[in-house]
């Protein structure tokens, strides 16, 4: 598949069928993008498991930090890479080994070799995207900040069961 | 299943940003006339204040009606995000507040709306921001005016009122080479006629008061972030690239990526300076935008007919409309404004000052007032009104000589517009 652009339908399917993310390169610092994204996905009902050898054994947002993907005992659906593009190839190999379904690279991260390897092993791939932004875009929440969601819809947005200012993504 | 293509301009003008109201099912965008919004709980409130969650706190920062307007205009300009403000001037104040530090300079094309000239020359000086004037008809004059302190370049795509079409691409190249963003005021053209991002603009501003609202009933302004400037790599814009003391030290450009300029304008500029748009004005302007493509085409078609008619009138000395063959800007209009050269232009009366006064005193369909971009046709004689405080020589230098009349052609029947000018010119 081509990775310059993704259809909304593709991203929507990934975000409505998978529930457990591993964040490789997750930071305990409250002001880092990975922390923002982790908090947001947790709020939307996802499980997010942080991976960062420099902080293993500590906790981020109530989750234990692991040194590597292989150390995680439970099944991981999506491996989200918050590292530089070069590091993505090794991480994609590990994602294949632990049986993940999706390799996701953050905004600014792109490694076509890693993508090819993962796809050959049957995984799906997203590069250069942030799951928080994509979730906000497809649920309509991001429009509250004047951001162009690049989607239109004549259907009523779906509210989350908790609270008022929370929307969820509609599956197809 | 194949996914439908991304919608085109007419569809976006009606749908972008607006879904049925989740609370009531209302199909038209409701007017959320409220100052503030309840938090779900304490944790939700904390996330909102830390910018961790999307959501509304207080209408000086976000409002759901305003948000639809913002997404709509961002989509029409193909930007990543937008921020609506109380007026076009408020939008400009916030853009420069986000980009400049005291002592900084910026370049601006001299051919600008007179109110912007005042804002840059006088109001901005009090912030220690310094405008350096260049000639928008000579792109090389921008290159010549650059210095180390220049942090931005500002132009109008189609300048008010002179009918000057600016070579955006040539100036964008100079901005890029200098490593500074190009800001384009696209008020007179609107995204229907010209999309400055396609020609290299990094930031677009509008007075929504004019053609976007389009019916002369509401003030408003907007800032569109094109998402094409790398603030982190540049390092010249501390508001975007340095830790933010009022948000726990986050860096706007790192946290918000290609829409960080709009977020910085909102969460710092609008929050602290305060010129937010009223939800009711946002609603009226949003309704105006739904018919923008239809109105704008009619504005342009009518304006061309009126300009051609005036051009052959005995009492008319000259007509400055870029849509006319033989006009100095006709070639640039073909490139940047292929659907029409807008509806605001000036012409000169052989009878000078007294003729101008007689003309505006005798119109009956045209309204004599200081605005542009209304469904109604509008007329003004700058020498006896907006520029009456200046000397005759100063007026001439400002393009508001004694003989100059400015028109903003409306969307009435063109024969009626011409008939009104005809009878008034008989008495001029
Ligand atoms: C080209 C242009 N820019 C900006 C403005 C200022 O907009 P506002 O009056 O909404 O503050 C105007 C108003 O006439 C204008 O014509």
């Amino acid at each position: 598949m081509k990775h310059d652009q993704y259809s909304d339908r593709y991203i929507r399917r990934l975000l409505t069928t998978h529930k457990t993310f591993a964040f490789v390169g997750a930071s305990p610092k409250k002001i880092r993008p990975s922390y923002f994204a982790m908090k947001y996905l947790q709020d939307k009902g996802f499980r997010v498991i942080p991976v960062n050898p420099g902080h293993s054994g500590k906790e981020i947002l109530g989750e234990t930090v692991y040194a590597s993907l292989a150390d995680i005992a439970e099944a991981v659906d999506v491996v989200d890479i918050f590292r530089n593009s070069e590091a993505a190839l090794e991480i994609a190999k590990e994602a294949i080994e632990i049986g993940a379904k999706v390799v996701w690279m953050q905004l600014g991260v792109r490694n076509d070799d890693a993508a090819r390897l993962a796809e050959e092993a049957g995984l799906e791939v997203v590069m250069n995207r942030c799951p928080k932004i994509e979730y906000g875009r497809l649920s309509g929440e991001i429009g509250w900040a004047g951001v162009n969601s690049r989607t239109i819809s004549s259907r009523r947005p779906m509210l989350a069961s908790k609270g008022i200012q929370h929307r969820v993504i509609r599956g197809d | 299943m194949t996914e439908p293509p991304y919608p085109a301009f007419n569809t976006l003008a009606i749908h972008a940003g607006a879904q049925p109201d989740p609370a009531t099912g209302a199909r038209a965008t409701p007017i959320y006339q409220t100052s503030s919004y309840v938090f779900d709980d304490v944790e939700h409130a904390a996330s909102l204040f830390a910018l961790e969650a999307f959501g509304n706190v207080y209408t000086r920062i976000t409002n759901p009606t305003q948000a639809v307007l913002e997404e709509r205009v961002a989509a029409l300009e193909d930007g990543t995000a937008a921020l609506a403000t109380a007026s076009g001037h408020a939008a400009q104040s916030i853009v420069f507040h986000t980009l400049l530090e005291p002592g900084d300079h910026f370049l601006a094309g001299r051919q600008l709306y007179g109110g912007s000239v005042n804002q840059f020359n006088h109001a901005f000086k009090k912030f220690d921001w310094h405008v350096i004037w260049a000639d928008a008809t000579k792109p090389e004059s921008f290159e010549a005016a650059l210095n180390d302190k220049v942090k931005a370049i500002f132009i109008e795509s189609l300048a008010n009122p002179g009918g000057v079409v600016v070579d955006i691409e040539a100036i964008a190249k100079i901005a890029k080479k200098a490593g500074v963003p190009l800001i384009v005021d696209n008020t007179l053209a609107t995204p229907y006629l010209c999309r400055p991002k396609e020609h290299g603009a990094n930031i677009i501003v509008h007075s929504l008061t004019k053609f976007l609202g389009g019916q002369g009933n509401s003030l408003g302004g907007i800032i569109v972030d094109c998402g094409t400037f790398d603030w982190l790599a540049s390092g010249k814009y501390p508001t975007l690239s340095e830790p933010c003391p009022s948000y726990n030290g986050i860096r706007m450009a790192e946290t918000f990526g290609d829409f960080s300029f709009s977020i910085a304008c909102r969460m710092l500029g609008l929050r602290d300076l305060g010129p937010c748009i009223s939800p009711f004005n946002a609603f009226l302007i949003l309704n105006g935008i739904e018919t923008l493509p239809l109105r704008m085409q009619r504005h342009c078609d009518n304006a061309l007919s009126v300009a051609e008619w005036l051009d052959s009138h005995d009492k008319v000395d000259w007509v400055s409309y870029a849509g006319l063959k033989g006009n100095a800007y006709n070639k640039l209009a073909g490139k940047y404004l292929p659907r029409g050269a807008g509806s605001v232009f000036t012409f000169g009366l052989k009878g000078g000052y007294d003729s101008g006064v007689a003309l505006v005193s005798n119109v009956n369909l045209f309204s004599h007032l200081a605005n542009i971009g209304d469904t109604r046709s509008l007329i003004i004689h700058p020498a006896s009104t907006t520029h009456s405080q200046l000397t005759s020589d100063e007026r001439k230098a400002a393009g508001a000589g004694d003989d100059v009349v400015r028109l903003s052609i409306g969307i009435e029947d063109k024969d009626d517009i011409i008939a009104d000018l005809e009878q008034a010119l008989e008495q001029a």
Side-chain angles (χ1 to χ4, degrees):
Chain A
M1 97 175 255
K2 286 219 172 87
H3 290 283
D4 295 325
Q5 242 179 334
Y6 301 103
S7 73
D8 288 350
R9 193 163 269 152
Y10 176 64
I11 301 287
R12 189 184 295 116
R13 179 171 57 71
L14 296 182
L15 290 176
T16 51
T17 51
H18 300 302
K19 280 286 158 229
T20 305
F21 278 69
F23 271 26
V24 180
S27 171
K29 287 204 196 108
K30 278 187 127 176
I31 58 163
R32 302 291 301 166
S34 64
Y35 187 92
F36 271 62
M38 180 166 171
K39 183 135 198 254
Y40 184 79
L41 291 190
Q42 283 183 331
D43 208 43
K44 295 298 172 202
F46 293 92
R47 173 90 194 278
V48 183
I49 303 171
V51 176
N52 188 333
H55 297 278
S56 67
K58 294 183 199 156
E59 272 194 7
I60 301 178
L61 289 162
E63 290 282 356
T64 303
V65 183
Y66 291 90
S68 73
L69 285 172
D71 294 339
I72 304 173
E74 53 236 283
V76 169
D77 299 319
V78 183
V79 171
D80 191 353
I81 304 175
F82 284 84
R83 297 277 309 280
N84 58 41
S85 299
E86 295 75 59
L89 186 61
E90 277 311 306
I91 298 165
K93 285 182 191 159
E94 292 169 30
I96 296 165
E97 271 163 36
I98 66 160
K101 315 267 184 351
V102 180
V103 170
W104 189 305
M105 300 178 213
Q106 266 314 112
L107 261 183
V109 184
R110 178 167 178 153
N111 185 324
D112 287 275
D113 293 333
R116 205 171 313 111
L117 196 73
E119 283 174 335
E120 278 164 13
L123 281 72
E124 295 191 286
V125 174
V126 176
M127 296 196 282
N128 192 25
R129 290 285 185 282
C130 169
K132 173 179 176 178
I133 292 175
E134 293 306 296
Y135 198 100
R137 210 170 63 71
L138 296 170
S139 66
E141 281 191 359
I142 207 168
W144 295 341
V147 177
N148 184 2
S149 69
R150 304 192 122 266
T151 65
I152 62 167
S153 173
S154 59
R155 296 198 283 167
R156 206 154 135 175
M158 292 229 302
L159 297 178
S161 49
K162 60 163 197 178
I164 297 165
Q165 298 200 42
H166 292 279
R167 290 188 187 171
V168 293
I169 302 185
R170 194 192 292 272
D172 271 326
Chain B
M1 276 197 292
T2 52
E3 183 156 274
Y6 185 64
F9 195 87
N10 294 281
T11 307
L12 291 175
I14 294 164
H15 289 279
Q19 279 181 266
D21 183 49
T24 61
R27 182 63 268 231
T29 297
I31 304 165
Y32 284 96
Q33 192 72 29
T34 183
S35 61
S36 27
Y37 311 82
V38 291
F39 305 116
D40 290 336
D41 50 42
V42 172
E43 210 179 300
H44 176 228
S47 311
L48 289 173
F49 280 104
L51 303 183
E52 289 164 0
F54 305 111
N56 299 299
V57 172
Y58 191 62
T59 288
R60 176 156 31 77
I61 302 168
T62 61
N63 169 278
T65 311
Q66 171 189 345
V68 177
L69 171 64
E70 290 164 343
E71 193 175 346
R72 178 82 43 93
V73 178
L76 293 177
E77 288 284 16
D78 194 29
T80 53
L83 170 64
T85 56
S87 67
H89 266 18
Q92 292 169 196
S93 305
I94 289 179
V95 163
F96 284 103
H97 192 260
T98 305
L99 293 175
L100 304 188
E101 298 298 312
D104 281 346
H105 295 186
F106 66 100
L107 307 185
R110 160 149 58 68
Q111 295 79 356
L112 289 190
Y113 163 59
S116 299
V117 174
N118 276 334
Q119 187 185 47
F120 295 174
N121 273 337
H122 305 299
F124 282 8
K125 210 194 268 168
K126 294 197 169 191
F127 295 117
D128 203 15
W129 305 333
H130 303 277
V131 61
I132 301 172
W133 296 105
D135 182 346
T137 69
K138 297 191 176 70
E140 64 280 7
S141 70
F142 287 82
E143 187 139 36
L146 281 169
N147 70 51
D148 287 352
K149 289 185 175 163
V150 168
K151 296 282 177 64
I153 297 181
F154 186 99
I155 53 171
E156 286 179 16
S157 47
L158 174 59
N160 177 13
V164 173
V165 183
V166 176
D167 191 348
I168 304 171
E169 284 176 17
I171 297 170
K173 261 191 213 134
I174 294 164
K176 193 160 187 188
K177 208 170 120 200
V180 302
L182 176 65
I183 308 156
V184 177
D185 179 341
N186 199 29
T187 300
L188 261 65
T190 82
Y192 175 75
L193 297 177
C194 174
R195 300 220 289 185
K197 181 188 164 190
E198 291 165 7
H199 306 294
N202 303 106
I203 297 163
I204 299 165
V205 292
H206 284 277
S207 167
L208 297 171
T209 318
K210 320 299 177 194
F211 295 97
L212 285 163
Q215 344 223 336
N217 57 28
S218 307
L219 269 283
I222 204 158
I223 301 161
V224 178
D225 186 349
C226 294
T228 51
F229 196 89
D230 190 339
W231 309 105
L232 278 179
S234 158
K236 281 197 245 180
Y237 304 91
T239 302
L240 289 134
S241 61
E242 294 302 310
C244 235
S246 58
Y247 288 109
N248 307 325
I250 64 170
R251 293 169 207 267
M252 289 286 167
E254 181 184 69
T255 307
F256 298 105
D258 68 357
F259 52 89
S260 57
F261 182 74
S262 78
I263 299 287
C265 285
R266 183 190 305 277
M267 298 301 178
L268 298 168
L270 186 63
R271 182 194 68 174
D272 296 348
L273 298 175
C276 59
I277 191 169
S278 129
F280 187 54
N281 282 17
F283 170 81
L284 290 171
I285 293 165
L286 196 53
N287 275 292
I289 290 174
E290 293 188 3
T291 56
L292 173 72
L294 297 172
R295 286 187 290 104
M296 218 49 210
Q297 193 60 57
R298 173 78 85 95
H299 276 297
C300 289
D301 296 348
N302 279 355
L304 181 60
S305 299
V306 173
E308 282 170 346
W309 181 82
L310 282 171
D311 204 30
S312 60
H313 195 284
D314 280 351
K315 291 188 175 173
V316 172
D317 195 11
W318 51 267
V319 178
S320 171
Y321 183 61
L324 288 177
K325 292 214 170 59
N327 178 281
Y329 302 103
N330 191 248
K331 211 172 143 216
L332 283 171
K335 170 171 179 176
Y336 290 106
L337 308 159
R339 289 161 147 166
S343 95
V344 177
F345 65 91
T346 52
F347 67 96
L349 286 166
K350 286 179 186 161
Y353 190 92
D354 293 339
S355 265
V357 170
L359 177 63
V360 297
S361 307
N362 285 294
V363 287
N364 189 47
L365 178 71
F366 275 82
S367 302
H368 178 213
L369 54 72
N371 190 27
I372 53 167
D374 194 331
T375 47
R376 286 156 276 267
S377 289
L378 314 175
I379 190 167
I380 198 162
H381 176 230
S384 60
T385 54
T386 50
H387 291 65
S388 57
Q389 310 303 326
L390 306 181
T391 66
S392 182
D393 282 347
E394 283 173 335
R395 289 202 287 263
K396 208 177 275 169
D402 290 349
D403 62 330
V404 176
V405 175
R406 182 185 77 187
L407 301 178
S408 171
I409 301 298
I411 59 174
E412 301 99 333
D413 285 294
K414 71 166 191 280
D415 291 346
D416 292 328
I417 299 171
I418 290 172
D420 190 41
L421 285 176
E422 184 159 37
Q423 65 81 23
L425 276 169
E426 268 167 29
Q427 304 171 68

